[in-house]
Amino acid sequence: MKTLVINNEFGGGYGDVAITLYALKELINSAATQYIVNLYVRVFEHLELVKALVKLLGLPATVPDFQGYNIDSSLGDIQIRFHIPTNEEHLELTWLDNVDGSSEVLETPCTPRLKDCYKSVIPLLCHKLDVPHIKARCNKALVSRTALFHINEHTNRSSRCVSSQYYVNIINGMHDLGMIDRVYLTVHDENQYVKDMLPKLRPDCVVIKEPLRYVLTLIREELPLVVTHSTGILHLGALLGCRTIELCPPAKPEIETEIWHPPTCDCNHSVFYDKSEIEVLCDVSQLEVSCSH
């Protein structure tokens, strides 16, 4: 039995890891189903996150308790290396055959959208492994009136984010439309703006202060919907099968929205760029009607 090692050498935030794991999920499912191997996934950063996701997704792979720069290239009969990209428009990867000593840099598609890179690369790798591409699936329908909102006050942090009052209006509007009756809130920090929000919100609210593992389990087991700006929680929600809504202010460059939104083309992912709360609620309510038929 051969050993196949998938090296996820991406660093950065949780969103970068989640995007890579979306590709790994499809590759692992294909390889483990049709290709008789010992399957390992090694990571550059966020070891505990990757281990938790592999467990939650039920992927038939082992994640060694090691992370860092010096990954031993001799481990495993075959290696696939997802490299840190030097160009945002390309995904860099290498195929290493440690049995015959050969290596090959696989061509990646020329596209401004990383999600499309992963769509194209996975069939290529499956062809190299001589296995069918088993496409990962995710949920599309809202099965409960529960949502997770990950909030980051834009005046304190980033131009990617909309204001906390914008979230108040969205949450109350979705509640009044009968779309949600329970809300989980996750935050970057326990800042005053979150405490100020709570009395203004009409649905039942729970503020999550637990470690990331609890958030992942919650997304996996209970939540049908994640609403936030472009951040790791958005990508993790998409990876775990949630419908995702991305709220973008006009200060965020539109090209970043195109490049970095979740690579989940077959899931419901909606991007609202520079739209008022009323416009978002109108569009979301129409999406909900279309999904119910």
Side-chain angles (χ1 to χ4, degrees), residues 151 153 163-176 180 183 185 191-205 207 277:
I151 297 173
E153 173 60 71
S163 68
S164 54
Q165 184 59 49
Y166 190 101
Y167 276 106
V168 168
N169 296 338
I170 291 291
I171 292 170
N172 287 339
M174 292 179 71
H175 175 267
D176 293 344
I180 57 173
V183 166
L185 301 175
N191 290 330
Q192 185 61 43
Y193 67 84
V194 178
K195 297 177 182 177
D196 294 340
M197 282 180 61
L198 293 177
K200 304 176 184 178
L201 299 176
R202 290 195 275 275
D204 293 335
C205 294
V207 178
E277 298 93 311

Side-chain angles (χ1 to χ4, degrees), residues 7-282:
N7 293 294
N8 176 13
E9 299 183 25
F10 276 68
Y14 291 153
D16 302 330
V17 174
I19 289 174
T20 311
L21 280 173
Y22 180 80
L24 293 180
K25 180 171 67 169
E26 295 196 351
L27 180 58
I28 290 170
N29 281 334
S30 299
T33 301
Q34 302 291 334
Y35 195 73
I36 302 176
V37 292
N38 292 313
L39 192 57
Y40 291 87
V41 176
R42 298 191 302 184
V43 298
F44 174 76
E45 282 188 30
H46 304 303
L47 175 64
E48 291 304 315
L49 171 63
V50 174
K51 291 179 71 172
L53 285 170
V54 167
K55 181 179 179 180
L56 282 172
L57 291 165
L59 299 177
T62 300
V63 183
D65 291 322
F66 171 84
Q67 67 178 18
Y69 294 92
N70 298 317
I71 294 178
D72 181 6
S73 62
S74 65
L75 178 65
D77 300 296
I78 298 172
Q79 286 196 54
I80 298 166
R81 304 181 68 132
F82 288 82
H83 298 278
I84 301 171
T86 56
N87 184 333
E88 285 187 339
E89 297 183 2
H90 294 81
L91 176 65
E92 298 177 12
L93 64 152
T94 303
W95 174 278
L96 301 171
D97 190 327
N98 288 323
V99 176
D100 63 18
S102 64
S103 66
E104 178 183 358
V105 177
L106 301 181
E107 294 184 2
T108 60
C110 182
T111 170
R113 296 177 177 85
L114 285 182
K115 67 182 182 67
D116 293 330
C117 288
Y118 289 102
K119 278 180 60 183
S120 302
V121 162
I122 294 306
L124 175 64
L125 291 176
C126 289
H127 175 73
K128 288 286 292 184
L129 287 169
D130 192 26
V131 300
H133 176 205
I134 301 174
K135 191 167 182 59
R137 296 182 180 180
C138 52
N139 304 323
K140 290 187 177 180
L142 287 178
V143 295
S144 69
R145 292 195 297 273
T146 304
L148 173 71
F149 291 79
H150 180 65
I151 297 173
N152 185 358
E153 173 60 71
H154 75 297
T155 56
N156 294 342
R157 302 282 294 193
S158 169
S159 62
R160 293 181 299 169
C161 311
V162 297
S163 68
S164 54
Q165 184 59 49
Y166 190 101
Y167 276 106
V168 168
N169 296 338
I170 291 291
I171 292 170
N172 287 339
M174 292 179 71
H175 175 267
D176 293 344
L177 289 169
M179 298 180 63
I180 57 173
D181 54 25
R182 185 175 180 83
V183 166
Y184 289 93
L185 301 175
T186 65
V187 295
H188 282 277
D189 304 291
E190 191 178 354
N191 290 330
Q192 185 61 43
Y193 67 84
V194 178
K195 297 177 182 177
D196 294 340
M197 282 180 61
L198 293 177
K200 304 176 184 178
L201 299 176
R202 290 195 275 275
D204 293 335
C205 294
V206 177
V207 178
I208 300 175
K209 301 177 183 179
E210 300 298 323
L212 181 65
R213 185 181 298 271
Y214 176 81
V215 176
L216 295 178
T217 304
L218 177 69
I219 292 173
R220 177 66 170 171
E221 296 180 356
E222 294 185 39
L223 285 167
L225 176 64
V226 173
V227 184
T228 183
H229 60 287
S230 178
T231 187
I233 293 292
L234 179 79
H235 294 282
L236 293 173
L239 175 69
L240 293 172
C242 295
R243 280 184 57 188
T244 50
I245 293 177
E246 180 180 353
L247 303 175
C248 304
K252 180 183 178 184
E254 193 162 3
I255 185 61
E256 290 185 10
T257 303
E258 286 295 311
I259 290 175
W260 287 107
H261 73 69
T264 49
C265 306
D266 300 318
C267 294
N268 280 326
H269 175 71
S270 304
V271 181
F272 295 102
Y273 184 85
D274 190 19
K275 285 196 173 185
S276 70
E277 298 93 311
I278 296 297
E279 290 175 306
V280 172
L281 289 170
C282 288

